[in-house]
Amino acid sequence: MRGIAILGSTGSIGRQALQVISLHPDRFFVTALTAHKNAALLFEQVRAFRPRLAALTGEEAPVPPDLSFCQFLFGPDALEKTARIAEGRDVLAAVVGVAGLKAVMAARQTGKRVLLANKETLVAGGEMVTAACRPDENGPTLLPVDSEHSAIFQCLQGAGPNAYEKILLTASGGPFRTWEKSRMENATVAEALGHPTWSMGAKITVDSASMFNKALEIIEAKWLFDARPEQIQVVVHPQSIVHSAVQFRDGAVIAQMGVPDMRLPILYAMSYPERLETGAPELDLFALNRLTFERPDTEKFPAINMAYQALRAGGAACCVLNAANEEACFSFLRGEIPFGRIPQAVDAALQKHGHLPARTLDEIDRADALAREEARRALRAPDEGGGKRIG
Ligand code: NDP
Ligand code: MG
């Protein structure tokens, strides 16, 4: 039996993790659950999965009397504390944004394995997080949940160290793949939330529309697989059937395919190296019309090149990219800025603060705060092209 703490259990990944845990009660039990504000769903999940620990990080709420078997923590430090004191070996980091970073570090400091959906944590703190997540005597201590990185990890099983030549990181292209740039720059929130193949939380769905999700994933791949920037090739694949591929030295390309359903990568991280039933539909090759592959349009989606620039710059550049994007993405979701302003804000923050260091939590916090401040400033400034201000 593996005990799993789920940070962000009320989100899209968290809820699907609980679904696959329900399929395998003989394998997994829940040690802790956390939510930010959704107390009602958290209480329901605690009632169903009976963890001994739970946390609500965004506010305080009265605990229903029938949940007295569970210790509840409240407030901003509760996430980190949960990761630290939860029983069991695994922590699924499924909160959104860099808010997960300290909790991931706390999980590692207490010897736990991190199952990582929360890519922003690795983007912001890549050097520090990977240093804390070296494999131990039981194998990897950081397992990818992001579908592309899970695919790459699966393709690399059995390959020797540094055996691969190139990572082929697939991208659906998002809802604006076929749109003219000018139309995309003024897209509404509803349009940006209309992802063609994946159903996910709001932030990652907007990130997929701007392709900042792929930018974050390029950086995530660098840290997870020790890749040089030029070894990571983004391949637009609108059908989302090939979840990514790896090209080896002898020219062999191994891809992982499947229906677009996060239950597989979530469960693979939990059961690794075993494979278990996920409850997702089977891939029916005969029902597929065709699979297509395109180069990304880096003029329309500047996020891709910004990721490579940030990787090459090193230091806090990736942290700055992430923080400015978080700031701009949530500002767009609140209806404050047009979609086209998102890359402008990230670019402004990178120009101003991309050179800062990011070796420690304090340095990362500082770069993150300065990047957010600069992004907010850039978003208040008159538009330099790239979408009309709304409202
Ligand atoms: P959601 O927005 O659906 O869920 C986020 C979860 O985190 C919720 O439980 C939420 O609580 C909690 N949360 C929100 N803000 C904070 C905060 N400041 N501090 C602590 N907890 C917080 O996100 P997703 O499940 O879509 O994504 C989670 C992570 O996984 C992201 O990093 C995303 O990039 C990554 N990911 C997601 C995929 C997907 O298919 N959804 C695929 C690949 C990666 P509450 O409900 O109370 O607000
Ligand atoms: Mg992904």
Side-chain angles (χ1 to χ4, degrees):
M1 286 285 274
R2 282 184 179 173
I4 301 187
I6 304 180
L7 311 182
S9 62
T10 50
S12 161
I13 293 287
R15 281 180 276 121
Q16 293 178 83
L18 288 173
Q19 272 179 33
V20 293
I21 287 175
S22 304
L23 286 179
H24 301 285
D26 52 326
R27 301 285 190 131
F28 307 109
F29 66 100
V30 175
T31 60
L33 295 172
T34 83
H36 195 51
K37 295 198 165 159
N38 192 347
L41 181 55
L42 179 68
F43 293 151
E44 211 177 285
Q45 292 177 338
V46 169
R47 202 165 278 126
F49 290 89
R50 309 194 74 79
R52 306 234 313 243
L53 181 64
L56 192 64
T57 50
E59 54 196 39
E60 211 159 311
V63 177
D66 65 313
L67 303 183
S68 59
F69 60 87
C70 179
Q71 178 193 357
F72 277 83
L73 307 173
F74 297 98
D77 297 334
L79 194 70
E80 187 183 340
K81 188 160 181 207
T82 302
R84 199 176 291 284
I85 68 174
E87 297 168 71
R89 181 152 179 245
D90 289 348
V91 172
L92 171 61
V95 301
V96 62
V98 76
L101 178 60
K102 290 187 177 110
V104 163
M105 293 305 289
R108 285 303 302 138
Q109 280 156 9
T110 49
K112 298 187 181 80
R113 263 189 354 167
V114 175
L115 319 182
L116 188 80
N118 178 217
K119 63 190 88 182
E120 296 92 343
T121 277
L122 194 53
V123 170
E127 196 173 333
M128 189 182 69
V129 173
T130 37
C133 294
R134 300 229 167 79
D136 66 14
E137 62 283 3
N138 298 311
T141 61
L142 179 65
L143 286 143
V145 170
D146 209 348
S147 61
E148 295 78 359
H149 304 76
S150 172
I152 296 159
F153 181 66
Q154 292 175 58
C155 295
L156 287 172
Q157 292 305 305
N162 305 320
Y164 72 87
E165 199 93 303
K166 209 187 253 183
I167 287 171
L168 304 169
L169 184 71
T170 53
S172 72
F176 304 141
R177 182 177 61 90
T178 58
W179 287 34
E180 289 295 324
K181 189 173 183 215
S182 55
R183 182 177 168 216
M184 176 185 81
E185 285 173 341
N186 292 297
T188 64
V189 171
E191 286 166 335
L193 288 177
H195 198 280
T197 50
W198 291 97
S199 160
M200 312 175 285
K203 194 241 171 195
I204 184 173
T205 306
V206 171
D207 283 350
S208 300
S210 64
M211 291 200 81
F212 268 102
N213 182 50
K214 214 44 59 181
L216 301 180
E217 291 186 355
I218 291 169
I219 300 164
E220 188 185 9
K222 181 244 153 36
W223 290 112
L224 283 170
F225 307 110
D226 191 21
R228 296 188 305 278
E230 59 276 15
Q231 283 180 297
I232 307 168
Q233 170 69 59
V234 174
V235 179
V236 175
H237 167 49
Q239 298 82 17
S240 301
I241 296 296
V242 174
H243 297 308
S244 278
V246 175
Q247 183 181 314
F248 290 89
R249 204 151 288 156
D250 58 1
V253 174
I254 298 188
Q256 188 254 328
M257 295 165 69
V259 292
D261 191 307
M262 286 307 293
R263 285 174 290 181
L264 188 154
I266 294 168
L267 184 53
Y268 187 67
M270 283 171 30
S271 65
Y272 171 83
E274 260 188 281
R275 287 183 182 272
L276 301 176
E277 169 66 43
T278 67
E282 266 179 31
L283 175 64
D284 178 1
L285 284 178
F286 299 114
L288 293 176
N289 186 4
R290 63 200 184 111
L291 301 180
T292 59
F293 303 94
E294 305 162 12
R295 281 185 193 283
D297 182 342
T298 52
E299 200 273 320
K300 191 164 100 184
F301 296 107
I304 302 285
N305 285 341
M306 284 186 207
Y308 288 111
Q309 281 160 16
L311 270 185
R312 292 198 169 98
C318 294
C319 167
V320 166
L321 176 148
N322 176 67
N325 177 58
E326 277 189 32
E327 208 56 36
C329 177
F330 283 109
S331 181
F332 169 71
L333 276 168
R334 289 190 299 269
E336 295 162 3
I337 57 156
F339 188 76
R341 299 295 302 262
I342 297 172
Q344 291 177 16
V346 178
D347 188 46
L350 273 175
Q351 305 275 351
K352 183 127 188 224
H353 298 300
H355 60 279
L356 292 169
R359 287 166 306 235
T360 63
L361 264 178
D362 284 347
E363 287 177 348
I364 292 168
D365 273 351
R366 178 162 179 270
D368 181 277
L370 288 169
R372 284 171 199 271
E373 199 180 296
E374 178 59 20
R376 282 194 297 270
R377 193 206 56 74
L379 291 173
R380 282 193 307 269
D383 201 347
E384 304 138 19
K388 288 184 206 74
R389 189 174 277 274
I390 47 171

